[in-house]
Structure formats: structure tokens, C-alpha cells
Amino acid sequence: MTKTLYAEFTVKPGSEERVAEMMRELTEHVRREPGNQLFLPYTRESNPREYFVFEVYDGEAAFQEHISADYGARFNGELAEHIEEDGSVLTWLHPVA
């Protein structure tokens, strides 16, 4: 079964450009992961500081590989400096059909 989630966070004022650059770099890495099906980062149309990232992985093993990647650890470490929350807020999803 796939592992599906979305992550949300709000960028601090003044960090918009750096986080956008970080997200572009992370997206390139994650989309090359063999177990990644989708990695779609968005900003809210009404507030571009609010991020929403939709992610789908082949399963638990693929997700574990994703979260253990060194580039992800670097991203999350720096992201903590640039967002209002303590970290990305994750919501796990389960298919209905």
C-alpha cells in the first residue's frame, strides 16, 4: 500500500526566497528517489508564505528511505530556521477507493 501524506508549514516573513530555493532543490532530489510517486509542493494562492506539499511513496520502506536521505535532513535542519512552526505539520492520508 502506498504511503501518502501532506506537509504544511508557514514561512517567516523575509525567508520566502530562500525557502523557495530550498524547496526547488529538495524537489529535484525527492523526485529521483526510486520509491517516490509524487512530490508536489504548492503555496497557498491567498498567502504564498503558506506551503502545502503532497507526497506519495510506494510504501513504508520507500518512505523510510526518503526520510533517511541526507539531503532531507539538511533541508529540515535549515527549514526550522525559516518557518513559524516547530517543523512541518504532517497529515497522513488513507485511500477511500
Side-chain angles (χ1 to χ4, degrees):
M1 177 180 278
T2 59
K3 190 81 168 173
T4 305
L5 69 138
Y6 64 88
E8 297 177 276
F9 56 86
T10 306
V11 176
K12 292 178 182 176
S15 290
E16 296 92 345
E17 191 172 313
R18 177 60 187 142
V19 172
E21 178 183 325
M22 291 168 55
M23 185 57 72
R24 284 189 295 274
E25 292 171 6
L26 179 68
T27 299
E28 288 179 24
H29 285 291
V30 175
R31 287 181 177 170
R32 288 194 300 260
E33 293 175 8
N36 176 258
Q37 293 182 16
L38 287 172
F39 189 84
L40 302 171
Y42 292 90
T43 58
R44 188 177 302 274
E45 189 172 314
S46 61
N47 182 355
R49 290 190 308 109
E50 294 180 11
Y51 273 73
F52 177 95
V53 185
F54 183 69
E55 306 176 45
V56 180
Y57 300 89
D58 286 343
E60 182 64 33
F63 179 72
Q64 291 303 318
E65 286 184 36
H66 164 71
I67 63 171
S68 65
D70 62 339
Y71 49 82
R74 287 192 306 271
F75 173 86
N76 286 321
E78 184 176 350
L79 184 67
E81 303 170 20
H82 297 288
I83 62 174
E84 295 178 356
E85 301 82 4
D86 291 333
S88 296
V89 177
L90 304 181
T91 300
W92 300 99
L93 303 173
H94 191 275
V96 174

